[in-house]
Each structure stands twice: as structure tokens, then as C-alpha cells.
Amino acid sequence: MMTERVRDFLARNPDLEPPFLVLDLDEVKKRYQTLATEMPFADIYYAVKANPARPILSLLAGLGSCFDCASPREVRDVLDLGVAPSRISYGNTIKKDADIRTVWDLGIDLFAFDCEEELEKLARMTPGARVFCRIVVDNTGADWPLSRKFGCEPEIATDLMLMARDRGLVPYGLSFHVGSQQTDPLSFNSAIATATGVMGALRSKGVHLQMLNLGGGLPAHYDRAIPAVGNYAAVIKAALAEADLNGGLKQIIVEPGRYMVADAGTTVSEVVLTAQRGDQRWIYLDIGKFGGLAETIDEAIRYRFVTKYNGAATVPSVVAGPTCDSCDVLYEKNVCQLPAALKAGDRVHILSTGAYTTVYAAANFNGIPPLQEFYI
Ligand SMILES: *Cc1c(COP(=O)(O)O)cnc(C)c1O
């Protein structure tokens, strides 16, 4: 969707040169408030990596959000806004010694890990810190899966948390990620059940975890309708109740990234070239995989395109980016139905591009500057 405020901004600024992203901060605020209302049992840790723009961080800080960071730079960006270190987690499971030290010295006391080697680092460098172990869960239903690279098997998590206790860390909790752009609310049900099993095993060994981190995964509205956030909240609430955690848990965390910012943003791009190659029509935009649309890798995330011709006759079109790299094709397996009249110079609005775009834009590939950003 394109919000009224984005529409107004574009009407008032017809001369801005594409490509650029316009993001409606009111929409982010609405998202935050909806989530806080739907999941009153959870603390919201915005996943900064989705879009770390200062206006977004500043807005969320003002609303009382907490933040999940992946690097010292992200931690500093959040601290600079006056956010207390106690409201920040370092959720990246892959950290350099020097970065752990920096973040620990900045006062952050909540760290993720998912293997013995990372736990050893934390034991060495952050004595007494609260740690949580990321377990691997089924990512079926996610358009952008996050398994394999992250998370350990539940049985290993049990051993690691015992080890954490023995090494002088606080075995604080567990986390998982059901996969980004997770379109099946029930995925949270099985993930919570898996986590509950680990907590039970630890309880029988005298370790009482205090926190469960449900990760991200809440979806944005790309090419298909998605369940409302209330559906996810209902599944999570029921699963937590069924887990019968005996009130032992002090904290439930959610880490929305995509949900919070994706739908608030529209990217304005321009058609550079249309070409007929054999019986296939090609549309080349001024933004592609290197300009910020990296999540089109494997055509995983399928953005919606809007043009001034909408409603007119369409033809199947391959959509590609402007760079001199043959991998810079956005949609070829899933060709797009785009207006037959679309031509070079026309604008194409790419919806729901507020997350995982600006941060993915190359600095200077083919001499193309990073995506411009406007936060309104
Ligand atoms: C990326 C990430 C998130 C955010 O995921 P979304 O699917 O964008 O909500 C949350 N937690 C962790 C640990 C992540 O790496």
C-alpha cells in the first residue's frame, strides 16, 4: 500500500530524481502501537538491521521500544538517542572478540549465542552477562528462511545453557527465528513447543530460564495477502499458555524488523529501457539487486509495482536492474504482468520497500549512488 502521506509527499515533490525511498513514520508508529496492543505480554525489540535510519530509531525510542542490534555501530546509533543500555540486546550470534568487548563496555548485558565456541568468547569477555541460546526451528512458511546458518539443536541448547551457568554467565533465556516473512502464524506454535521442551529439560537440572525471545518473522504485504498481526498474537498467546511455564518466565521478547517498517515505505523508480528479446519483453528499472532490492535473490520477496497505467492492458515482463551484471535480474521465473504501454522515463512505484532495502544498496557499483531516503 502507499499511504496518503507518501502520496502527498510525491505530489509536492514531482522533481525528485528516482530512485528514492519515501517512508511514512506515522505508519511505523501505528505498527508499533498495534503490536504493543496485540502482544501486551511481550517487550518489543526492534531489529535495527531492517532499517537503521535515525528518524525510525528516534521515533521508536520515543514510543518506548527496545532494540536488537547486530554490531557496535547499531548499538551506538541507539545509545546516541538516549536509550538505556538495559533496553538493548546484542542478538547477532556471530561476533568478533573486539565487538563483544566494545558492546560490553558500552553497558549492554544481553547477548545471543548458538554454539560452544561463541559461548567461550562470551564467558571470557563478558563475565556475569545474561546470555540466551538460539535454537533452530522449522522455517516452513517463510519466504526468507533463516535456518541452517543459525541456531543449534534443542538438545545441544540444553548442554550449552548448563555450560553457560558453569562458566559464570547468567543462563537467561532462549531465542528462535521462525524465518523472515513468515506467512504461517502456526509456525510460532511449534517453535514455542520446542523451546518449552528445552526449558523443561533445564528446569530438571536446576536451571530456571527467565526469558523467551520469539524473534522476528512477522510479515509485510508484498504480492499476497498476509494474516493480520492479531492472528500471530493469538497463536503465540495460546502456545505460551499451553507451555504452562508456571509463571517462571519474567520476560517475553519479540523482535520485529520487516513488520515495523516494510509497508511504510515506497520506492519510486524509473524505467530506463524496455526491450523485446525474442518473444520476451524486458523492463529495465533504475533500481535492482545492487540498488537495494537484494531480497529479490531467488525471487524470494516479490514486490508489487504500481504505474500510472494501472488498469490498462498488461503483458508478461521480465524485470531487471540497471547494472552491467547479468545476475541483476529481479523477476524472470515469476514474470510480472506490467502495462503494455510502459516505456522509458515512466515512473514505477515499488510498494512495501521500507525494510531491507536502503541497507542493502551498494555504495558505488557501476557509479550508481546508494538509494536516497526520505522519512516523513
Ligand atoms: C533479522 C532478525 C530479526 C528481524 O526479522 P524480521 O523477519 O525482519 O522481523 C529478528 N531477530 C533476529 C535475531 C534477526 O536476525
Side-chain angles (χ1 to χ4, degrees):
M1 108 202 120
M2 188 190 306
T3 69
E4 254 342 284
R5 297 182 69 240
V6 170
R7 218 184 297 279
D8 286 351
F9 176 86
L10 294 178
R12 278 185 283 110
N13 297 278
D15 298 329
L16 285 175
E17 199 174 325
F20 58 88
L21 168 73
V22 189
L23 189 141
D24 182 350
L25 292 167
D26 276 3
E27 190 60 31
V28 177
K29 183 175 178 182
K30 255 189 252 166
R31 298 291 167 128
Y32 180 89
Q33 289 170 337
T34 300
L35 188 59
T37 305
E38 295 284 0
M39 299 192 191
F41 48 83
D43 293 332
I44 299 172
Y45 280 64
Y46 172 61
V48 173
K49 74 173 193 280
N51 189 327
R54 192 177 168 93
I56 292 175
L57 300 183
S58 172
L59 168 74
L60 291 173
L63 292 170
S65 186
C66 300
F67 297 88
D68 181 54
C69 297
S71 66
R73 159 77 191 266
E74 286 188 354
V75 169
R76 283 205 182 90
D77 284 352
V78 174
L79 287 173
D80 280 352
L81 296 166
V83 173
S86 60
R87 284 166 58 194
I88 299 173
S89 59
Y90 194 177
N92 193 342
T93 53
I94 305 162
K95 306 177 281 299
K96 285 184 180 176
D97 276 4
D99 292 346
I100 294 172
R101 164 74 62 209
T102 302
V103 167
W104 176 242
D105 287 346
L106 288 170
I108 285 36
D109 170 39
L110 186 54
F111 294 86
F113 73 97
D114 66 2
C115 65
E116 185 173 348
E117 293 79 355
E118 191 73 10
L119 179 61
E120 288 295 350
K121 287 188 208 168
L122 293 171
R124 208 162 17 87
M125 312 196 55
T126 65
R130 294 175 300 159
V131 296
F132 59 97
C133 184
R134 180 161 170 178
I135 56 174
V136 66
V137 297
D138 188 8
N139 274 202
T140 306
D143 288 342
W144 192 261
L146 293 168
S147 44
R148 199 168 66 80
K149 178 169 170 179
F150 309 103
C152 63
E153 293 300 325
E155 312 78 62
I156 305 220
T158 309
D159 294 343
L160 290 176
M161 288 311 259
L162 292 170
M163 211 180 285
R165 177 195 61 187
D166 296 342
R167 300 284 159 85
L169 294 162
V170 177
Y172 186 62
L174 298 176
S175 72
F176 56 73
H177 199 302
V178 294
S180 201
Q181 186 66 12
Q182 175 54 262
T183 54
D184 182 5
L186 286 174
S187 61
F188 281 94
N189 185 50
S190 40
I192 289 170
T194 304
T196 306
V198 176
M199 284 189 255
L202 281 165
R203 220 171 15 244
S204 70
K205 298 197 153 93
V207 172
H208 298 266
L209 299 188
Q210 302 173 58
M211 182 276 276
L212 179 59
N213 180 335
L214 309 173
L218 297 177
H221 183 189
Y222 298 115
D223 65 333
R224 282 165 293 154
I226 46 165
V229 69
N231 297 10
Y232 291 83
V235 168
I236 289 168
K237 208 171 148 194
L240 290 174
E242 183 161 340
D244 191 19
L245 300 167
N246 296 326
L249 283 185
K250 276 200 336 212
Q251 188 180 28
I252 304 286
I253 286 176
V254 281
E255 299 177 326
R258 193 182 298 281
Y259 161 84
M260 202 73 90
V261 290
D263 291 335
T266 296
T267 294
V268 177
S269 76
E270 185 181 303
V271 176
V272 181
L273 173 71
T274 68
Q276 191 66 35
R277 304 193 184 282
D279 49 15
Q280 182 62 62
R281 184 203 200 205
W282 286 65
I283 303 282
Y284 298 83
L285 301 177
D286 60 2
I287 182 171
K289 281 203 161 57
F290 299 98
L293 305 182
E295 285 200 314
T296 56
I297 290 171
D298 294 334
E299 311 193 12
I301 297 297
R302 296 206 285 279
Y303 297 108
R304 281 180 294 159
F305 299 111
V306 176
T307 70
K308 65 179 177 186
Y309 305 106
N310 273 8
T314 62
V315 285
S317 310
V318 171
V319 180
T323 64
C324 304
D325 191 316
S326 61
C327 83
D328 191 9
V329 176
L330 304 181
Y331 304 112
E332 190 172 17
K333 285 186 303 223
N334 304 284
V335 292
C336 301
Q337 285 295 332
L338 288 174
L342 195 63
K343 60 180 189 313
D346 285 341
R347 287 188 169 199
V348 175
H349 293 154
I350 312 174
L351 306 191
S352 301
T353 40
Y356 304 116
T357 49
T358 56
V359 277
Y360 277 149
N364 208 9
F365 184 46
N366 281 220
I368 298 171
L371 187 60
Q372 279 192 85
E373 308 163 53
F374 299 94
Y375 296 91
I376 60 171

